[in-house]
Amino acid sequence: MHRPGTREVGLLSLAVVGISLSAPLTTLLSAPMLALAFWRNAAGAAVLLPVLLLRERAVLRGLRLRDLGSSVVAGLFLAAHFAAWLPSLSMTTVAASTALVTTTPIWTALAARAVGVRLPGAVWGGLVLAVVGVALIAGVDVTVSARALAGDALALLGAVCAGGYVLAGARARERLSTSAYAVVCYGVCAVAVAVAALVTDTPLGGFTARDWWLIAAITFCAQLLGHTLLNSVLATVGPTMVSLVVLLEVPGALVFALVLLGQLPPLLALPGVLLVVAGVGLVVRASRPATLVEPAT
């Protein structure tokens, strides 16, 4: 972890604004969530494809089909993440959903422990804090409605799927450049979502101009601005710093939800949100991940 300079602080600030706008803008959308997931990933792959074709031809020439396996798996996990998390935003509060979906580092740490990696004591402390925070949020939402509790469960499922996406992506990037990996991953995700939309008879077009503008804004803010800027400073500030900065999405989303939606989570749920953020922060800081824990949103 390296102290960011003025340039990196500016880029990280813009990235936090981008990812923090994702959940509140998604809540304003009336188009199906599968459509949003499709267009976000299709646009992300389309933007990065020229970079791959024009600047990284050597990567393509040395590419073998077996090198793409982990990227395909990552794309499928990413599709499952969006299918779980996006609907949760209309079922529970933006603050609760965002806090729960940012627990991705917890699931990757538990996956590491399952394959024999020893975790520092601070990681276990962070896990305990996050679990207590999740319990507080869920306990409050039990009194609010069963729908809010189901939204919490979907957000947690989205975090688990994001953990699979991060782990598969880390393996893919051992052999592939970022653009090659992202084009395959986002492309596979878009195809998987399109198949799901076809099976469920969900339209991917025919929306109002307002919805198209929202889809474009979410794609720009979260998929392009947020992810791209975070990845651009990864080499200079380190993965731990980037992962910790991603946690600022939670208070950022809460502020934007208050301004754009007039939505404030129940006061009793706020301590739970803070505990989740603190717990995930401890896990990230203590485990020092080798790769970026990308923002789930």
Side-chain angles (χ1 to χ4, degrees):
M1 184 167 66
H2 306 287
R3 180 173 297 179
T6 303
R7 174 182 174 274
E8 285 80 12
V9 169
L11 293 177
L12 287 170
S13 299
L14 284 175
V16 169
V17 171
I19 60 177
S20 297
L21 278 166
S22 175
L25 290 178
T26 298
T27 304
L28 293 171
L29 190 70
S30 59
M33 293 297 101
L34 286 179
L36 171 61
F38 170 78
W39 289 112
R40 276 184 61 165
N41 286 276
V47 168
L48 291 173
L49 184 59
V51 177
L52 179 61
L53 295 177
L54 298 176
R55 297 178 57 184
E56 300 182 2
R57 293 180 182 177
V59 174
L60 293 177
R61 286 194 294 268
L63 200 61
R64 295 169 295 181
L65 286 178
R66 67 182 183 182
D67 295 334
L68 302 179
S70 295
S71 299
V72 171
V73 172
L76 294 175
F77 269 117
L78 185 59
H81 157 72
F82 281 123
W85 175 65
L86 290 176
S88 76
L89 289 167
S90 63
M91 302 169 69
T92 187
T93 63
V94 167
S97 177
T98 306
L100 294 173
V101 83
T102 55
T103 58
T104 297
I106 288 177
W107 306 107
T108 56
L110 290 176
R113 182 66 187 90
V115 296
V117 177
R118 298 190 65 175
L119 301 178
V123 170
W124 292 110
L127 290 172
V128 171
L129 279 180
V131 168
V132 173
V134 170
L136 284 176
I137 294 171
V140 172
D141 281 348
V142 165
T143 63
V144 173
S145 70
R147 179 178 175 82
L149 187 62
D152 296 342
L154 283 176
L156 277 176
L157 177 59
V160 173
C161 294
Y165 156 63
V166 168
L167 293 173
R171 174 160 297 204
R173 282 177 286 181
E174 292 175 358
R175 298 184 178 182
L176 300 179
S177 67
T178 300
S179 59
Y181 158 70
V183 167
V184 175
C185 176
Y186 293 167
V188 168
C189 179
V191 170
V193 171
V195 170
L198 181 64
V199 170
T200 59
D201 198 25
T202 301
L204 297 179
F207 311 132
T208 64
R210 177 179 179 272
D211 276 345
W212 282 118
W213 278 112
L214 282 171
I215 290 173
I218 295 165
T219 300
F220 174 75
C221 291
Q223 200 79 13
L224 300 177
L225 185 66
H227 283 248
T228 302
L229 291 182
L230 288 171
N231 280 302
S232 70
V233 298
L234 176 61
T236 55
V237 303
T240 300
M241 177 64 76
V242 171
S243 299
L244 290 171
V245 167
V246 167
L247 291 178
L248 294 176
E249 178 187 0
V250 179
L254 194 155
V255 170
F256 282 123
L258 180 62
V259 173
L260 297 177
L261 309 173
Q263 183 186 99
L264 184 68
L267 291 179
L268 291 177
L270 289 177
V273 171
L274 294 175
L275 283 176
V276 169
V277 173
V280 175
L282 271 179
V283 170
V284 171
R285 186 68 180 84
S287 59
R288 298 183 180 274
T291 56
L292 168 64
V293 179
E294 297 187 6
T297 57

